[in-house]
Amino acid sequence: MSFAKRVATVLLILGLIACASASSELRSEAVGGYGQITGRIFALRADTSLAFANIIIVGANKGAMSLRDGRFTIRDVFPGTYTVKVMMMGYKTLEIRNVVVRANETVEMRCRLTETIVSETQIIEVTGERKVIDVSANGVRSSVTRSEVKAGDRLSVRGGRSGEITTRISGRGRRPATPIQRSESAIQRQRHLVPNNEAYARVDANKFLSVIEKPMSTFSIDVDAASYSNLRRFIRGNTLPPAHAVRVEELINYFRYDYPEPDESQPFSITTEMSDCPWNVTNKLVHIGLQGKRLMLEDLPPSNLVFLLDVSGSMKPANKLPLVKSAIRLLTRELRRNDRVALVAYNSTVSLCLPSTRGDQKRTILDAVDRLQARGSTAGAAGLRLAYAVARKNFLKKGNNRVILATDGDFNVGVSSDHELVQLIEKERESGVFLSIMGFGTGNLKDSKLEKIADKGNGHYAYIDNILEAKKVLIREIGATLFTIAKDVKIQIEFNPAKVKSYRLIGYENRVLEKEDFNNDKKDAGELGAGHSVTALYEVVPVGPDGDLSYLDEFKYFHVGIDPDAFASREILTVSFRYKPPAGDTSRLITKTVMESDTRFDKASDDFRFSAAVAEFGMLLGDSAYKGKACFEDVLAVAKEAKGKDEQGYRAEFIQLVEICSLLTKNQ
């Protein structure tokens, strides 16, 4: 072969290698995960960090708010080219175009805002530098290049590490809206950022009901707290949650209250309190609390757990399958020798990744967890059937038998409708195997489906937005999460018509029952776990101080009579509870009366006032027609005063969320 031919052959081979490499890179990008945008916001003139600036990715339903040091992070950004806006009251809006986000890469920004008297949108002149960093397989930085970034330039990052831009802005824009218009448009803009492929069941707030027409209010307890951690995810991402994602009772029940321990004869205690309603001072607020019996870890019965893990392609992001694996690792540390764990994974197919294994074989369990990878579609129903079969095979007669489903809620292969899934789960629960749900991730969360199937599976639904929430659910509250002490728990309130004109149950909209359901032991209701507390609030309209009962004359064909003793009594209502033991089929009854009270709101207990603040917050986020004079400032003031001991810091975190929401609706 001549020298020329040999050169041509070598060039051809090199060209083929280059093409293959490029093709491989493109394939990698096509199937890769999400990227993220991080950075820091400064004031151009003072060169100081700016807190509470709003950073929004136009058209991507993503955003963030800068922290006190000016830093921000927008996670789980789908690969693509975007326009990023930085907005803050008192500064000109910065618009950065052609920002390229690639899979598994981070774009870093260093943005400087110019102070202005009015909020403006302007033409942007961008200057600064771009870093392109190549990192070798062993992590050693091999090269750094810099270049000027001008208006219209594309900012991209190769090698999966960092990039930086510095901005200078100038221009003119429109005048700001009035304060009221700005608040309304801010709420609308924040709602617009909500991912449109998440699914939430419609929530229509309970109405005020006449005591004469409906003297009894009946509902199933709800110990879920998923709504709170889910809305926290939105708020931390600088957006208000969708109104139907707000289930007020789940917000209230996220927190622990200082209820007394039950005595030995009952699985739970009952606490009641009454005071003024903070958002409508002419009404009263009634607080009802149940406290389940607490059990130490060593006193809990053995567990037969089957983790049913969604490992479909939608679970790739860091806040999905990787967080699921971290959560299971936390729980594995707490497992005892007499506990058993199995892992069932499902995507396009279903597989038993770990047969039922003793809790002390931690290395075996952890190795199986480490091998999990996300890919394929979602055969959720088939996974449920296998998980239940594994749980039944290893059933513990005197233990806790439970399937724990970890997913973002998507079921797109096989049985997929809510009705069919509910039928499957209702049939399986008869075996004594309960179902709990842990929801993960953003952008694809099927909240309505997960909440419904957990309810029908005699379990509860938690949303895990970070590793601390996983610790709360699986470690700190393990008894409440995994061990049922009472099932089919129902509450029925009978109001005294001589004292109460009308009432409204706050929250529990999808748990309301008919009056006849209370004594029907075949009617399914909520489960109470060891150490769980359940809180319910009623807003009541009292009969006037002069005892005016003219509203009774509304009826034409019958006369409403009230027991004369009701007028002399101080009883405002009677609370009745029904529950079944975990292995029982016959319910037991407990009753307690609540007396009218003139206790001023500022003199009520910390628990009463804090729960009222949470309820008011929920009504604001859900845009309830019954929010009265509620506002974030009042919620903030009450929550701060009623924070109490707060050993775990959950109430302090709530206060921060309220502060962010207040800013989101003002600083736009």
Side-chain angles (χ1 to χ4, degrees):
M1 183 183 296
S2 68
F3 176 77
K5 289 185 177 181
R6 286 199 297 272
V7 170
T9 301
V10 170
L11 290 175
L12 176 61
I13 294 172
L14 290 175
L16 292 173
I17 292 174
C19 290
S21 176
S23 175
S24 176
E25 181 178 353
L26 289 173
R27 285 196 302 271
S28 177
E29 283 189 23
V31 301
Y34 293 81
Q36 66 177 12
I37 299 176
T38 66
R40 197 168 183 180
I41 312 299
F42 293 87
L44 180 62
R45 182 175 302 176
D47 197 28
T48 56
S49 300
L50 293 180
F52 308 119
N54 295 309
I55 304 93
I56 296 173
I57 305 177
V58 179
N61 296 323
K62 289 286 184 180
M65 174 180 284
S66 61
L67 303 177
R68 295 186 185 277
D69 61 355
R71 298 183 186 279
F72 70 92
T73 300
I74 308 176
R75 297 182 174 85
D76 299 328
V77 182
F78 195 81
T81 302
Y82 300 97
T83 295
V84 177
K85 287 187 177 182
V86 183
M87 300 177 292
M88 186 171 180
M89 287 298 296
Y91 294 86
K92 295 181 180 180
T93 297
L94 171 64
E95 182 174 294
I96 309 164
R97 300 177 181 177
N98 296 324
V99 177
V100 176
V101 178
R102 294 184 176 178
N104 305 314
E105 295 182 355
T106 297
V107 177
E108 291 189 359
M109 295 182 170
R110 186 178 179 89
C111 303
R112 300 184 183 276
L113 303 185
T114 297
E115 190 173 358
T116 182
I117 297 175
V118 297
S119 175
E120 298 182 25
T121 301
Q122 61 282 82
I123 301 171
I124 305 300
E125 177 186 346
V126 183
T127 64
E129 62 181 14
R130 177 178 63 188
K131 295 181 181 177
V132 181
I133 304 175
D134 294 324
V135 180
S136 64
N138 60 10
V140 178
R141 182 183 302 176
S142 59
S143 66
V144 177
T145 61
R146 298 171 182 266
S147 62
E148 292 290 316
V149 181
K150 300 179 181 179
D153 269 7
R154 174 174 296 184
L155 172 67
S156 63
V157 181
R158 294 199 300 266
R161 288 301 179 262
S162 64
E164 180 180 6
I165 65 170
T166 303
T167 63
R168 182 168 69 242
I169 64 174
S170 63
R172 297 181 299 176
R174 53 182 171 79
R175 302 185 69 84
T178 64
I180 292 178
Q181 291 172 330
R182 184 169 61 245
S183 178
E184 291 175 346
S185 62
I187 292 175
Q188 293 170 357
R189 282 196 293 269
Q190 297 301 333
R191 301 285 193 203
H192 180 69
L193 291 174
V194 174
N196 58 13
N197 56 344
E198 295 193 357
Y200 298 93
R202 182 179 178 86
V203 178
D204 294 316
N206 291 323
K207 300 178 180 179
F208 277 98
L209 301 175
S210 167
V211 174
I212 295 301
E213 297 178 8
K214 291 263 189 184
M216 290 183 174
S217 172
T218 310
F219 65 96
S220 162
I221 68 163
D222 182 6
V223 297
D224 296 345
S227 181
Y228 180 82
S229 50
N230 186 33
L231 71 84
R232 176 178 62 199
R233 179 253 300 190
F234 281 103
I235 297 169
R236 290 295 188 194
N238 193 31
T239 63
L240 297 178
H244 294 303
V246 181
R247 296 185 288 273
V248 179
E249 77 279 5
E250 295 189 21
L251 274 57
I252 297 170
N253 286 324
Y254 184 85
F255 301 94
R256 294 187 63 176
Y257 301 97
D258 191 21
Y259 299 144
E261 282 287 317
D263 59 37
E264 292 299 324
S265 62
Q266 302 292 349
F268 45 77
S269 67
I270 303 170
T271 301
T272 61
E273 192 173 357
M274 178 178 174
S275 185
D276 300 323
C277 178
W279 55 86
N280 191 338
V281 294
T282 62
N283 293 346
K284 295 289 186 179
L285 199 62
V286 178
H287 176 118
I288 302 168
L290 278 69
Q291 177 60 58
K293 186 177 297 183
R294 295 183 177 91
L295 298 175
M296 300 299 292
L297 180 61
E298 57 270 20
D299 297 327
L300 295 173
S303 288
N304 164 34
L305 305 178
V306 180
F307 279 95
L308 175 57
L309 307 175
D310 183 348
V311 293
S312 62
S314 67
M315 294 290 288
K316 285 183 180 180
N319 60 0
K320 294 189 178 183
L321 184 58
L323 183 55
V324 172
K325 294 163 73 171
S326 296
I328 298 176
R329 292 187 190 104
L330 286 177
L331 179 61
T332 301
R333 298 174 189 170
E334 306 298 320
L335 294 174
R336 303 159 298 179
R337 178 182 174 85
N338 57 349
D339 296 324
R340 302 193 69 84
V341 173
L343 301 180
V344 174
Y346 67 92
N347 45 30
S348 305
T349 59
V350 178
S351 59
L352 179 61
C353 300
L354 178 72
S356 189
T357 303
R358 282 204 328 259
D360 60 347
Q361 297 180 12
K362 301 184 188 302
R363 187 68 264 164
T364 301
I365 299 171
L366 294 175
D367 287 345
V369 171
D370 291 341
R371 289 193 295 268
L372 296 170
Q373 294 182 347
R375 56 179 178 268
S377 57
T378 318
L384 277 172
R385 292 190 179 95
L386 177 58
Y388 274 118
V390 174
R392 289 195 306 270
K393 181 179 179 181
N394 299 280
F395 192 86
L396 299 175
K397 291 184 178 180
K398 295 184 178 181
N400 164 52
N401 300 277
R402 189 174 299 266
V403 172
I404 303 175
L405 170 60
T407 179
D408 60 4
D410 217 1
F411 293 81
N412 55 28
V413 175
V415 175
S416 60
S417 74
D418 289 359
H419 178 68
E420 291 173 301
L421 286 170
V422 166
Q423 284 186 322
L424 169 63
I425 291 163
E426 285 179 333
K427 178 181 178 181
E428 293 287 357
R429 77 182 181 201
E430 299 301 323
S431 67
V433 178
F434 292 175
L435 173 68
S436 289
I437 308 289
M438 295 193 301
F440 291 81
T442 65
N444 194 46
L445 182 68
K446 300 300 182 280
D447 176 86
S448 56
K449 187 188 300 289
L450 299 183
E451 199 246 354
K452 181 178 294 185
I453 62 178
D455 178 32
K456 299 302 181 181
N458 281 2
H460 85 290
Y461 166 40
Y463 175 77
I464 310 297
D465 58 332
N466 57 54
I467 193 64
L468 290 177
E469 186 66 16
K471 182 179 180 180
K472 178 180 185 288
V473 172
L474 291 175
I475 306 301
R476 187 168 291 125
E477 299 176 357
I478 187 171
T481 301
L482 300 180
F483 298 92
T484 299
I485 59 174
K487 66 180 183 180
D488 293 338
V489 183
K490 309 168 191 173
I491 300 177
Q492 188 169 78
I493 312 295
E494 181 179 359
F495 293 90
N496 181 352
K499 304 293 181 179
V500 179
K501 182 177 180 180
S502 60
Y503 63 88
R504 188 177 84 86
L505 174 61
I506 299 174
Y508 295 94
E509 281 83 5
N510 61 357
R511 305 292 177 130
V512 173
L513 301 173
E514 297 297 328
K515 176 174 66 70
E516 297 76 16
D517 293 332
F518 184 70
N519 294 317
N520 181 4
D521 283 354
K522 294 183 179 180
K523 184 67 177 180
D524 183 58
E527 279 61 49
L528 190 70
H532 253 150
S533 64
V534 179
T535 301
L537 299 178
Y538 278 91
E539 182 179 353
V540 301
V541 179
V543 173
D546 56 355
D548 180 19
L549 299 177
S550 58
Y551 69 95
L552 300 180
D553 298 332
E554 298 174 358
F555 298 99
K556 179 179 179 181
Y557 294 109
F558 68 94
H559 173 71
V560 178
I562 300 177
D563 188 334
D565 291 340
F567 294 94
S569 172
R570 293 187 61 248
E571 294 181 7
I572 191 168
L573 58 88
T574 297
V575 185
S576 299
F577 299 87
R578 280 201 177 275
Y579 72 95
K580 298 175 187 174
D585 296 321
T586 303
S587 66
R588 301 175 185 178
L589 176 66
I590 304 174
T591 62
K592 183 172 183 175
T593 57
V594 179
M595 302 297 179
E596 59 183 339
S597 171
D598 294 325
T599 303
R600 293 198 336 241
F601 184 77
D602 61 348
K603 300 298 182 182
S605 69
D606 286 348
D607 283 344
F608 182 97
R609 289 180 292 131
F610 188 82
S611 65
V614 177
E616 187 171 345
F617 180 64
M619 288 189 291
L620 284 167
L621 291 180
D623 197 23
S624 170
Y626 305 100
K627 60 181 181 292
K629 297 181 178 180
C631 63
F632 290 118
E633 290 75 12
D634 288 348
V635 173
L636 197 59
V638 172
K640 286 180 177 179
E641 293 174 359
K643 187 173 73 169
K645 295 179 181 178
D646 193 29
E647 295 177 356
Q648 304 299 333
Y650 297 133
R651 295 190 179 191
E653 180 188 57
F654 171 78
I655 291 170
Q656 290 181 339
L657 297 182
V658 178
E659 288 180 315
I660 294 173
C661 288
S662 180
L663 290 167
L664 286 175
T665 56
K666 284 185 176 180
N667 290 353
Q668 294 284 337

